[in-house]
Every structure is written in C-alpha cells, then in structure tokens.
Amino acid sequence: MKIIISPAKKMNVNTDSYEVTGMPEFIDDTRVLMEKIRALSFQEARELWKCNDSLTELNYRRFREMDLERALTPAVLAYEGLQYQHMAPGVFTSGALSYIEEHLRILSGFYGVLSPFDGVVPYRLEMQAKLSVGGSRDLYDFWGDRLYKSLTGDDKVVINLASREYFRCIEKYVTPKDTFITVEFGELTGGKIRQKGTLAKMARGEMVRFLAENRIESPKEIRKFCGLGFSYFEEGSAEDKYVFVKAGNPETQFG
C-alpha cells in the first residue's frame, strides 16, 4: 500500500533531525528542470511561479545557487505547510518512521516522486506550472506515466491524500488492476459535502500520522480515523472514495 501526498510551497532546511537515506529516484530529470529554470529571465520566472517580486527574488536566487547533492533535507521535513505541521514527523516513533519510509510518497513537480528520507533542497515548482521542457508541453506531459509506474511497480494499492493538482499525474494512468482510493474531508452542509482547503490540509496530515502510528496495512482500516472530529461517512463513500465528515453534524443526506 502506497500513500501519496502533495508537497508544500514553503520549504526549510533541516540537516540535523533525520538522516538522508537516498537521492530522489528521478534526480536526472530534476537536473534537466533545474537547468531549464536557470535559463529563464527574472520576468519569465515570475510568470512561471505566479508570485510577488520578493518570492521571485528568493527562488530565482535559490535556483542560481542550487546544488542538488549538498546541504540536503529529508523530504518529509523539508516541506512546511499545514499538512506537514499536523503530520508532525519530527516526533514520530521509530516504528512510525519505518512505516512512512515504506508507504509514504510525496509527489513533486520538481522531483517527480519522493520517499520521505530522500534528500532535497528548497525550490519552487508546482505541478501545474506551465513549463515546457524538451518538447513536453507542461510538467504533466514531462513526467508522463513514470510517477504512476514508480508508485505501482510492486504494489497496486494507492491511498490518495494528494490535492487534485498532484493526483492528476497518477489518476489518468490507473487501470482496473489497481486499487486507487481517494480520501476526502469535508463538512456536510445542505445535504452536500463541502471541502474547505485549510481543513482538508490539516486532516490529510492527521491521517498520515494516524496511519503511521497504527501501522495501517489495509485500506478498510483507514475508516477508523477520527482525528480533528472527523468520522467515516459510509453513505457518501464508495469503493474508490472514502469520505470523512466532521462529527456531530445533524444532517444525514449526501448530494
């Protein structure tokens, strides 16, 4: 069973807490992307990243000075954002760390797919960025089916905790032989499940921590999750979609 999550825009450097155990699988492709971005003008980079001048300057400098083999941070500690704060990998037990090393994968526009303890450096490159590389029209085209194949090579069960932007690069290649389950979090309002971005990010992190601490190996066991007041909503779920809603909501219809 593999669990996929999204990266976060904000990154940090932490070379002390955990040891880097390997390099990203697609590091040669990452070098290609790095050189492509280094060749952009400041204005082109700003348009690619869609951020203000201050963040553009930070990331433009990062790519100019980037060394993909030095001062590396384990991927699971490199991203900051709500999802990673609620996952709190810095306080995992050794058993939980072993679990995520085996099961957790982080999708990345820059690195492709990452194991938790692959060494990374700070960067900015969202999967949906309009970057044309080597004849590819965008990053989805650049990565093609390689990320899907990496995830499902020896395991056909994928638990999707990634955002739409990222799981698009996997979902389109899923076959009937695969078990691909998307987990959704929301509030039941007016008979409909309404997802809220902030709450969903928090819940995804809590879910990863729940899976790791309890060494969950079966998709059905995921339904026991009750973090942040969520509970499994059977009526709105399906074989390929597990829906969790905030507990205590009096509404019972799904639309």
Side-chain angles (χ1 to χ4, degrees):
M1 186 174 79
K2 291 293 188 295
I3 305 153
I4 56 173
I5 61 175
S6 305
K9 292 180 182 178
K10 189 175 181 181
M11 299 185 69
N12 66 80
V13 175
N14 182 342
T15 59
D16 300 322
S17 296
Y18 294 142
E19 182 181 354
V20 168
T21 60
M23 293 295 288
E25 177 181 356
F26 298 103
I27 191 66
D28 289 340
D29 298 281
T30 300
R31 294 185 196 283
V32 171
L33 294 173
M34 178 181 70
E35 294 302 331
K36 176 69 176 182
I37 293 172
R38 279 179 169 174
L40 299 178
S41 67
F42 183 87
Q43 184 58 34
E44 288 171 333
R46 190 179 191 281
E47 292 173 0
L48 174 70
W49 294 325
K50 299 185 185 305
C51 57
N52 59 36
D53 284 346
S54 177
L55 284 174
T56 301
E57 289 172 1
L58 170 64
N59 289 286
Y60 200 69
R61 183 175 68 253
R62 278 177 170 172
F63 273 93
R64 285 285 184 274
E65 300 172 352
M66 187 172 285
D67 185 334
L68 296 175
E69 297 181 359
R70 299 183 64 185
L72 302 179
T73 298
V76 75
L77 295 181
Y79 298 103
E80 290 183 345
L82 284 172
Q83 177 179 221
Y84 292 86
Q85 291 172 24
H86 280 260
M87 188 195 313
V91 295
F92 274 8
T93 63
S94 59
L97 292 172
S98 295
Y99 178 92
I100 62 170
E101 184 171 23
E102 179 180 355
H103 296 284
L104 186 66
R105 297 295 180 266
I106 303 168
L107 302 179
S108 164
F110 190 50
Y111 283 103
V113 62
L114 292 162
S115 294
F117 303 103
D118 284 348
V120 303
V121 296
Y123 68 91
R124 187 182 182 97
L125 187 63
E126 297 177 55
M127 187 66 79
Q128 63 188 359
K130 301 298 183 182
L131 184 67
S132 177
V133 187
S136 301
R137 63 182 179 276
D138 55 24
L139 290 174
Y140 294 107
D141 190 27
F142 176 79
W143 290 114
D145 65 354
R146 291 180 295 158
L147 309 189
Y148 161 78
K149 288 180 176 179
S150 173
L151 286 169
T152 59
D154 58 355
D155 194 332
K156 298 298 183 181
V157 179
V158 177
I159 306 302
N160 172 34
L161 288 169
S163 64
R164 179 69 186 173
E165 173 188 351
Y166 284 91
F167 77 72
R168 271 182 59 196
C169 66
I170 304 298
E171 184 185 43
K172 64 186 294 185
Y173 301 106
V174 171
T175 73
K177 295 180 180 180
D178 302 313
T179 299
F180 187 83
I181 302 171
T182 294
V183 180
E184 296 183 358
F185 301 95
E187 295 180 339
L188 196 56
T189 305
K192 295 183 180 296
I193 298 293
R194 302 191 183 280
Q195 292 193 67
K196 297 183 178 179
T198 297
L199 190 60
K201 290 176 183 177
M202 294 164 60
R204 287 167 183 156
E206 294 277 345
M207 172 68 84
V208 173
R209 182 153 54 86
F210 164 79
L211 297 175
E213 290 177 346
N214 292 281
R215 322 281 177 83
I216 300 299
E217 298 288 346
S218 166
K220 288 186 178 180
E221 292 183 86
I222 295 172
R223 301 174 185 179
K224 298 176 183 178
F225 174 75
C226 58
L228 297 179
F230 281 97
S231 61
Y232 179 66
F233 186 48
E234 186 171 3
E235 184 180 352
S237 300
E239 287 187 6
D240 62 350
K241 181 173 69 173
Y242 288 177
V243 176
F244 292 81
V245 297
K246 293 287 284 185
N249 196 309
E251 299 189 58
T252 58
Q253 293 184 342
F254 180 82

